[in-house]
Amino acid sequence: MFFRFFIVCCILFAFTTTSVWADISKENVFVAAEQGEAAAQVRLGAMYTHGKGVPQDDKEAVKWYRLAAAQGHANAQFLLGGMYVYGKGVPQDDKKAVKWCRLAAAQGHANAQFFLGGMYRQGKGVPQDDKEAAKWYQLAAEQGEAAAQVRLGSMYSNGKGVPQDDKKAVKWYRLAAEQGHADAQFLLGAMYIEGRGMLQDDKEAAKWYRLAAEQGHVDAQFVIGAMYSEGRGMPQNYVQAYAWWAVASANGDESAKDYMDILQKQMTSEQVDRAQQSAKGIWERVGK
């Protein structure tokens, strides 16, 4: 998860937040970077990270991130920390990753705060500490960082690093779910179906599960199939149950195929044909 998160943030922060350089030629970015302009150094580092306009070169990326980071540029500090945690262009070193991410987090960099929370949660580069993890997740979550909101919600749900509190778990899951975070939508659906932190509501559960399923969330796809099969939160519909289980199965859920086989014995051949066509349509729309 962290590697994907880092790559996404590298693109977003190095390119969009330094938009002043977006329409500047590669040559001018080089000149500005050489003259010590931190934003240009970050952009140049990102160019090397992704091989955009220059040969892909992690060592060169690290060089430019480091120069900007030394000037206190929060995005550069975060990106340099990410290079250390994954050993990109530098020897892998969790302690140095924490050092640089902490500097960025202390400046209010939400993604660095989330990243630092993850390092404490996993005990990477620092002693494992759920309270510290929750602290950094909270800071990032309060800035609207959806991934941090999900993590914080999970910590409240499980009572790790914070007192167990289903209502607070629901609060943070909902905030992330409303931003379109598929894991949050799935977890919020689970809270509704179990009646944790709110009144039990199958229809609301189905709503959030479906949103996650439509984004390719495999577990949500399986659950939507089960809800159609049982008629929970929606009218019972074996065709749709089979279709969603078929999609979940294609996405790697091994148990979904077993449920399809059981359900098929209760369906007509015409229903199975329709279910297969429906599954094809769902797959073309959402896939994985």
Side-chain angles (χ1 to χ4, degrees):
M1 176 181 175
F2 267 13
F3 182 69
R4 180 175 61 186
F5 178 81
F6 167 66
I7 292 299
V8 170
C9 288
C10 186
I11 296 169
L12 292 177
F13 278 91
F15 283 86
T16 62
T17 64
T18 55
S19 58
V20 65
W21 299 101
D23 299 318
I24 306 297
S25 70
K26 177 180 71 176
E27 292 75 17
N28 286 338
V29 172
F30 269 102
V31 169
E34 290 282 5
Q35 291 177 347
E37 173 55 57
Q41 291 169 341
V42 176
R43 181 168 178 82
L44 186 54
M47 289 167 66
Y48 277 112
T49 294
H50 300 287
K52 297 291 187 182
V54 294
Q56 199 284 330
D57 189 327
D58 287 332
K59 289 185 178 180
E60 276 295 303
V62 167
K63 166 189 167 182
W64 292 106
Y65 290 150
R66 191 184 303 281
L67 287 169
Q71 296 188 62
H73 194 288
N75 291 341
Q77 292 167 341
F78 167 64
L79 294 169
L80 182 57
M83 300 297 272
Y84 271 111
V85 85
Y86 299 113
K88 295 282 188 178
V90 289
Q92 198 282 334
D93 191 323
D94 287 336
K95 289 185 178 179
K96 288 184 178 179
V98 168
K99 166 192 169 182
W100 289 108
C101 283
R102 190 185 301 279
L103 289 170
Q107 295 191 62
H109 191 294
N111 287 287
Q113 291 167 342
F114 170 71
F115 206 86
L116 189 56
M119 299 299 272
Y120 273 109
R121 184 177 62 85
Q122 298 178 73
K124 294 179 65 176
V126 288
Q128 200 283 331
D129 189 329
D130 285 334
K131 287 186 178 180
E132 275 294 302
K135 163 190 162 183
W136 291 107
Y137 285 147
Q138 176 103 26
L139 289 169
E142 288 173 350
Q143 294 195 64
E145 173 52 57
Q149 291 169 342
V150 176
R151 286 290 186 192
L152 186 59
S154 179
M155 297 188 88
Y156 274 113
S157 178
N158 296 299
K160 297 193 71 174
V162 290
Q164 200 283 330
D165 190 324
D166 285 339
K167 289 185 177 180
K168 287 186 178 178
V170 167
K171 167 191 170 181
W172 291 110
Y173 288 154
R174 189 183 303 280
L175 286 170
E178 289 173 347
Q179 294 190 63
H181 195 290
D183 286 339
Q185 291 167 343
F186 174 79
L187 291 166
L188 185 58
M191 299 298 274
Y192 269 111
I193 210 163
E194 295 171 15
R196 292 182 56 191
M198 79 254 298
L199 292 175
Q200 198 279 339
D201 191 327
D202 285 343
K203 287 186 178 180
E204 276 295 304
K207 164 189 166 182
W208 292 106
Y209 281 135
R210 183 181 294 280
L211 287 170
E214 291 283 350
Q215 294 196 68
H217 194 290
V218 181
D219 291 337
Q221 290 169 348
F222 177 85
V223 173
I224 282 291
M227 295 186 79
Y228 269 119
S229 176
E230 298 170 11
R232 290 192 65 177
M234 60 187 73
Q236 188 177 55
N237 187 321
Y238 285 172
V239 169
Q240 287 301 304
Y242 185 102
W244 278 105
W245 279 337
V247 172
S249 177
N251 273 332
D253 189 311
E254 296 178 0
S255 64
K257 181 64 168 62
D258 295 332
Y259 281 87
M260 290 167 61
D261 291 342
I262 294 169
L263 187 61
Q264 186 170 346
K265 295 175 183 178
Q266 305 174 56
M267 299 170 67
T268 65
S269 59
E270 188 270 336
Q271 285 178 315
V272 173
D273 288 343
R274 286 196 291 119
Q276 291 171 343
Q277 286 300 311
S278 181
K280 182 180 178 181
I282 294 169
W283 180 260
E284 290 174 350
R285 186 172 72 250
V286 305
K288 186 172 183 177

